[in-house]
Amino acid sequence: MNGTERIANAFPAHRTAFMPYAVLGYPTPQASLEVIETLVAAGADLLELGVPFSDPLADGPTIQAATQRALENGVTLSQCLATVAELRNRDVGTPALLMSYVNPILAYGVRRCVADSVASGVDGFIVPDLPPEEAGELEDACRQHGLALVYLLAPTSSPQRTALVAEKSQGFIYLVSLTGVTGARDSAPPGLAEFVARVRAVAHKPLAVGFGIGTGEQAKAVAQLAEGVIVGSALVEQAGESIERVQELAVELREALNGSEIRT
Amino acid sequence: MNTLTSTATRGKFGPYGGQFVPEVLMSALDELETAYIEAQGDPLFEAELQGLLHTYVGRPTPLTFAARLSDYLEGPKIYLKREDLAHSGAHKINNALGQALLAQRMGKRQVVAETGAGQHGVGAATACALLGLECVVYMGTVDIARQQPNVYRMQLLGAEVRPVDSGSRTLKDAVNEAIRAWVTNVETTHYLLGSALGPHPYPTLVRNFQNVIGREARGQILEAEGRLPNLLIACVGGGSNAIGLFHPFLADQDVDMVGVEAGGESIASGRHAARFADPQRARVGVLHGTRSFVLQNANGQIMETHSISAGLDYPAVGPEHALLRDQERVSYTYATDDEALAAFHLLAKLEGIIPALESAHAVAEVVKCAPAMPRDAIVIVNLSGRGDKDLDTVMQKSGSQGVRESENPL
């Protein structure tokens, strides 16, 4: 089974997938391994692992601060790959995507990055500043190695772009729930159901919703719409506190998805 | 010449440029491109812009023969393109006004902008005041400290200046925050980007609003001298004043062009913003939506830059400059902080013109290259802005001693 297939298979048939995000190297390289293992123990179906970048323009204050701290810890893309390899050594089999801005990948070398990612046990990529129009080289390399390149859609995406991403995205489609940067919000964005329905009308792939989801209650609501719920900033914030806090929130989020049934 | 790059190439300048942005912005970029193409086909838009450039900005700006500087350097005839005399003190207003008119046309009443030296922020605030648009300007706290007069100016013009305290607290971080604000309010907000940077269509759009500089200069030099210049010199941060001057001359193969980057303390020190001069630290990469030369470490993390001039203190260069360099159509060099400072004093003393520290980098280059040029050669230096905003910086660096003695060439 290749990475794309592992990701596609990560979505359980009977409920919405729990897809937590963690910043690699935060709060420390060692503690970030524990954070990830805690997320897996709490029942993560698919991991999104953030590669720190100096200028994360799609991220809000929580992830900005965490990636800054990770960079101060000296974390690099090679170390991120080594962390994934270490997780695989520890028998963590949960499918994992690297979430990285494009420049660290370019600096590493696109083809080399994909080859080394396969060797480290990465299953795919999410690159928030790389729309399909610019992704040719990474897309080719991912296809060659059987890794998923997941594209994003936003509430502002036109019908043409929705069709393009629906066709090109591998494994699932990442729906950005709102027009904004990452970060927990108090309430679910209005119009989410319509947005999801609009995508579902043309896409025959799992849909995962992220941005702004931080509580079990919010996760439960989103689970009625989508095959996956992505939680980032809220968990990253807990990671800055303690492993126990991460576990508490992860369990809350995961349990909120029990019995979830998508109402289309 | 005045059209957008075909949409089929998504704003590529050879291998540079493009649209490396979060998906949420893609539709806004399409909307902007469409609005601009429509505006170009609308004689009323062009008439309104030209009318304002004439009656409000004060264009055409003069082309001044710098007689004493030419004599002093014992070199070619040096002309100064006086963008410092444009309303609000720099070339930035040309683009700010054009984009503000586009925002109005798109029905967007809110504008966000970034600023480094504050000149673009002032330009944006001015254009927004004129057209009745709301304006929020993001500015790094380091830049706020060194460009206080411009901060107050923006506030007087009704803009809100939001301090940015992340990263290097300069222009790069102000762009990050402006983009985040734009992402959040994309449906009601226009991002008024200030340089020939960022995702397509900005590099082309900004260049087209700025090439009025070169079009005027071309006509003015032909009138004054009856022939084209031998050399054009402009400073390059993002590169909008340079591309604005250069672009209308690109087809004139006998006109040489030099872009001057910020050499900061020195190239070897790493404390500079010279993307083309430091192959150790600058490689092709992606920052703020465009692929170009970017100062970065081996791991692709963007480096903090340094320049005495806030407006050149930025780690990436406009993508069209990267292509013009590959094509060897334009050559790029740098001036250090000290060289720019000396040129600042020289121009003030010899010509009665206090240049912006950004523009002083271009003056520093003419100081270097003029003595080796024939006396009958003609050089145009783009004086992109005036230096009032830099008085604090210069006083701190030079002190009164410097003004009395060492900086006095006479």
Side-chain angles (χ1 to χ4, degrees), chain A residues 123-142:
Chain A
D123 299 293
F125 290 91
I126 304 171
V127 187
D129 56 349
L130 193 70
E133 289 88 343
E134 303 287 359
E137 194 184 359
L138 182 60
E139 208 172 277
D140 287 348
C142 282

Side-chain angles (χ1 to χ4, degrees), chain A residues 20-25 29-42 44 47-49 83-84 87 92 94 243 246:
Chain A
Y21 166 94
V23 176
L24 290 164
Q30 197 52 40
S32 111
L33 272 170
E34 290 170 40
V35 167
I36 295 162
E37 288 184 309
T38 304
L39 296 170
V40 169
L47 294 166
E48 270 182 45
L49 304 177
T83 302
V84 177
L87 284 168
V92 173
T94 314
I243 289 291
V246 174

